Amino acid sequence: MKKFKLPALVYLILFFMNVNTGSAAGLAKISYTVSFPEAQAHYVEVEMNISGLAQPSLEVKMPVWAPGSYLVREFAKNIESLNVSANGKAVPALKTNKNTWKINTAGLSAVTVKYKVYAFELSVRTSFIDVSHAFLSTTGIFLFPKGMLNQPSTITIKPYKDWNKVSTSLEMVKGDVFTRTAPNYDILYDSPLEIGTQDIFDFDVANTHYEVAMYGGGNYDKERLKKDMAKIIEAEAAVYGENPNKHYTFIVHNKQRNGGGLEHLSSTVLGASRDGYTNERIYHGFLGLVAHEHFHLWNVKRLRPIALGPFDYDNENYTTNLWIAEGFTAYYQNIILRYAGLSNTEEFLGDMVSTINTVENQPGTKVQPLSESSFDAWIKGYRPNENSYNTGISYYDKGAVVAMLLDLEIINSSNGKYSLNDVMKYMYDTYYKGLKRGYTDAEFKAGFEKFAGKKLTDFYAKYINGLDAVDYNKYLGYAGYKLTDELAAGNEPTLGVYTNTRNAITTVLRNSAGWVDGLNVGDVITNIDDTPVTDLAAVIKGKKVGDKIMVTVNRDGQNYKIPVTLKRNDNVKYSFTELPNATPQQLAVRKKWLKL
């Protein structure tokens, strides 16, 4: 691991100063005090003090989205009772749009802005407060003064009752756990805070100190987690040749059922099932989540699409490259477990074939190109409806598949000299460390081509910007594998709908029997051929492809009889199969790919 020549925090300050110019009040001093007098009602009270002003007016704004979660969430909707004062007197604050308040500061050198924020959505991207803890997702808590994104700030926390711990990547001030500082707003908004009585354990990996904050209890084994998380961290740092953090914080919210994660520059927030740690399948999934979010500290938080920094906190930040930022990270979460010895070959291939099946069984893969999926994340990816399965594809899933294809292409074309790892390190060194900026689509394509030793224009036209069916066996053949569809010879009938436990239709698949003959989402299937339905799957399984059946549905309180002609179930169920008599070249590619 290479040593960081400058202290990490200094480097980051210089980086963000370079990319995020401010326009006003270079001498302004900004501080916040957060308190929780009504924690039981899910409120935080924020006092924002701004001094050193020398301007006739000031605008304070609330971000509308959280970086890493590509949806405008309108955090200002949770603000109430905002008032401004100076010298003990009220100062008018005019709300000029959904997330902006304008303050008349003529003749004033300092103002105090007080407001309350309602927080009752425990997710990795939103804030939650009750008497047990406070999770502050900072983009939804702290207003910022327009034109001062480069300004440092100090946060003083007044804890509720017996709360005695703060877990965050923000630095302490004079060793005070309840006083934190941020060098600029990009750092503040990338540093969530967990405040309460959470269980904390820590460990070191090389020169980086790791803290894990567990909220909600659970049957986790701290010593096992320390060892397994350390293996993941070491394997990921090996890809890039360094760990740019001196300390890193995992915030884990353990609930009865939970999942998901959100990456940050020097921390991450994870959702986990509190009693799932002793279930090997669930534990494997949790380690994959750890690997995914921690890998982001390089891929997207530092090595990033050029559109994702400096951030525009008022509007969408569009990029066609989330398939690299997220999809590649989804691929690495699987292969890193293999590198770290936390999964075997069969488990890794099983994870990948599961992703392939997800992609290939989604009708939207034939409708939405991968690059468009990324660009439209703001209006489609995070706003799914009943027809999304038919119209779109996940840049996580298909991006992971594309990463696998490119990894195999690079290994094979370079005769085992290079892999996708070399591309990621080269791009990190060149654009984040060298040029200190994000990359363009063309620049990353050139990075792939550099290590593949060939043009990938056709690959991009087919699989990134186009809708061609993926030639899996071409790429898997490089490593002596092929895909076998276990359902290829089947002739199973299907309605082409998904239903819930009440037999209510939740999805109608494009071009299926239900699609063609007019079944609707929301229809409750009550009878097939006048026979009451208790087990829909069993009834359909007893029919044949081409059978014409009469489906009775309850639609908006009225019964309808709809004739439907059953079609063949075209879903695939792929599995990996080794090619017989694999060549030395194929075995060499396999060895390089899977680190055998």
Side-chain angles (χ1 to χ4, degrees):
M1 182 178 293
K2 296 179 181 177
K3 282 194 173 183
F4 213 81
K5 293 182 179 179
L6 285 175
L9 184 58
V10 173
Y11 184 88
L12 291 170
I13 293 171
L14 294 173
F15 174 71
F16 283 111
M17 287 180 66
N18 182 55
V19 299
N20 215 341
T21 57
S23 62
L27 298 178
K29 184 178 180 181
I30 305 166
S31 65
Y32 300 89
T33 299
V34 295
S35 57
F36 308 91
E38 294 183 293
Q40 83 289 346
H42 320 299
Y43 279 94
V44 57
E45 295 190 4
V46 183
E47 180 180 303
M48 177 187 190
N49 290 286
I50 312 171
S51 61
L53 297 174
Q55 57 205 78
S57 66
L58 174 71
E59 289 184 335
V60 292
K61 305 172 73 68
M62 180 68 85
V64 304
W65 69 292
S69 181
Y70 306 101
L71 176 67
V72 171
R73 296 183 184 275
E74 310 293 17
F75 294 122
K77 68 186 177 183
N78 294 319
I79 291 181
E80 57 184 80
S81 304
L82 185 145
N83 60 77
V84 183
S85 63
N87 302 318
K89 297 181 180 179
V91 176
L94 176 66
K95 191 171 186 179
T96 57
N97 64 28
K98 64 183 181 179
N99 68 320
T100 307
W101 290 259
K102 188 173 183 179
I103 305 167
N104 184 348
T105 55
L108 299 176
S109 61
V111 294
T112 297
V113 183
K114 293 183 178 181
Y115 57 96
K116 298 167 66 175
V117 179
Y118 180 72
F120 195 54
E121 183 183 352
L122 185 59
S123 77
V124 296
R125 68 195 69 83
T126 52
S127 298
F128 180 92
I129 298 162
D130 67 8
V131 295
S132 68
H133 78 132
F135 172 66
L136 303 184
S137 181
T138 45
T139 46
I141 299 295
F142 297 108
L143 294 168
F144 70 91
K146 182 180 179 180
M148 300 187 196
L149 287 174
N150 279 326
Q151 296 297 106
S153 60
T154 301
I155 301 93
T156 300
I157 300 163
K158 294 184 176 180
Y160 177 80
K161 292 189 176 180
D162 63 342
W163 295 355
N164 57 10
K165 297 174 184 175
V166 177
S167 297
T168 181
S169 59
L170 293 175
E171 300 287 353
M172 287 186 282
V173 176
K174 297 180 179 179
D176 182 358
V177 69
F178 292 111
T179 305
R180 304 287 175 145
T181 184
N184 56 55
Y185 278 91
D186 285 318
I187 301 294
L188 176 60
Y189 289 150
D190 221 0
S191 306
L193 297 104
E194 176 69 28
I195 308 163
T197 59
Q198 61 270 22
D199 182 24
I200 295 174
F201 63 89
D202 57 5
F203 57 94
D204 293 303
V205 179
N207 296 321
T208 306
H209 184 70
Y210 282 83
E211 176 183 299
V212 182
M214 290 285 198
Y215 166 76
N219 60 359
Y220 50 88
D221 180 335
K222 293 181 186 180
E223 295 307 312
R224 185 183 184 188
L225 280 172
K226 287 180 187 180
K227 292 176 182 177
D228 291 347
M229 293 172 78
K231 290 177 182 178
I232 290 168
I233 292 161
E234 289 168 348
E236 292 184 343
V239 173
Y240 292 96
E242 67 174 18
N243 189 330
N245 287 306
K246 292 304 180 186
H247 61 84
Y248 188 96
T249 302
F250 287 97
I251 298 172
V252 185
H253 291 149
N254 293 296
K255 298 171 64 178
Q256 184 175 9
R257 292 182 181 179
N258 202 14
L262 186 63
E263 70 277 3
H264 297 283
L265 196 69
S266 302
S267 63
T268 189
V269 186
L270 309 177
S273 298
R274 67 169 61 94
D275 295 323
Y277 293 95
T278 54
N279 179 303
E280 289 304 311
R281 179 185 60 81
I282 296 175
Y283 184 70
H284 178 84
F286 178 74
L287 292 182
L289 180 62
V290 169
H292 183 106
E293 301 304 337
H294 187 264
F295 194 81
H296 271 313
L297 78 84
W298 294 276
N299 188 30
V300 87
K301 298 314 300 184
R302 290 170 174 83
L303 172 61
R304 57 175 175 78
I306 201 164
L308 298 183
F311 291 120
D312 179 350
Y313 293 106
D314 288 300
N315 301 289
E316 297 87 346
N317 292 221
Y318 293 101
T319 173
T320 57
N321 292 126
L322 292 180
W323 59 275
I324 297 173
E326 291 289 357
F328 277 35
T329 304
Y331 172 67
Y332 270 100
Q333 77 181 56
N334 294 325
I335 205 163
I336 284 295
L337 296 187
R338 176 74 199 102
Y339 292 171
L342 295 171
S343 67
N344 56 35
T345 298
E346 290 70 26
E347 288 170 325
F348 167 71
L349 295 178
D351 288 335
M352 289 310 303
V353 82
S354 177
T355 303
I356 291 170
N357 286 333
T358 297
V359 170
E360 293 305 318
N361 286 326
Q362 186 164 341
T365 196
K366 299 179 177 67
V367 176
Q368 186 183 51
L370 186 54
S371 57
E372 183 182 299
S373 172
S374 170
F375 195 83
D376 282 347
W378 298 92
I379 60 171
K380 292 184 178 181
Y382 284 85
R383 286 194 176 100
N385 62 24
E386 69 282 350
N387 199 41
S388 295
Y389 201 66
N390 294 314
T391 62
I393 191 65
S394 166
Y395 50 78
Y396 285 86
D397 295 331
K398 192 168 183 181
V401 168
V402 165
M404 180 189 73
L405 302 181
L406 286 168
D407 201 2
L408 288 165
E409 178 65 62
I410 293 165
I411 294 170
N412 184 70
S413 296
S414 67
N415 292 316
K417 184 177 181 181
Y418 302 119
S419 71
L420 187 59
N421 295 351
D422 296 286
V423 179
M424 302 305 287
K425 184 179 187 306
Y426 166 78
M427 296 297 292
Y428 175 82
D429 289 344
T430 301
Y431 291 95
Y432 169 65
K433 294 180 67 178
L435 298 175
K436 297 178 174 56
R437 66 166 174 84
Y439 57 82
T440 67
D441 183 75
E443 288 167 342
F444 220 117
K445 178 174 178 287
F448 293 135
E449 293 173 339
K450 174 182 175 67
F451 290 92
K454 63 197 302 185
K455 291 293 184 182
L456 295 172
T457 303
D458 187 55
F459 184 96
Y460 264 67
K462 288 180 176 180
Y463 304 140
I464 310 302
N465 302 315
L467 297 170
D468 287 37
V470 176
D471 187 355
Y472 290 105
N473 286 335
K474 170 185 174 182
Y475 297 92
L476 292 172
Y478 295 152
Y481 290 108
K482 68 175 181 178
L483 287 183
T484 300
D485 180 9
E486 298 174 18
L487 304 179
N491 199 34
E492 180 181 303
T494 181
L495 274 176
V497 301
Y498 294 139
T499 59
N500 61 22
T501 55
R502 299 186 302 110
N503 287 333
I505 296 174
T506 57
T507 301
V508 181
L509 300 179
R510 184 182 293 272
N511 297 327
S512 69
W515 174 285
V516 171
D517 292 326
L519 296 180
N520 290 354
V521 168
D523 288 351
V524 178
I525 300 174
T526 60
N527 295 278
I528 300 290
D529 293 335
D530 294 323
T531 300
V533 174
T534 55
D535 187 341
L536 180 61
V539 172
I540 299 302
K541 191 174 182 180
K543 305 292 183 180
K544 295 179 181 179
V545 174
D547 282 355
K548 294 183 179 181
I549 61 175
M550 187 64 68
V551 181
T552 303
V553 302
N554 186 278
R555 180 182 295 171
D556 190 32
Q558 296 182 317
N559 291 328
Y560 295 85
K561 290 182 178 292
I562 302 173
V564 178
T565 301
L566 295 176
K567 287 189 167 188
R568 179 184 181 274
N569 187 345
D570 290 328
N571 275 1
V572 297
K573 186 180 180 182
Y574 287 124
S575 59
F576 278 89
T577 303
E578 290 189 23
L579 294 175
N581 304 316
T583 67
Q585 167 76 2
Q586 289 171 322
L587 293 175
V589 170
R590 184 187 300 178
K591 181 178 180 180
K592 174 81 170 180
W593 181 36
L594 301 177
K595 289 196 180 298
L596 299 177

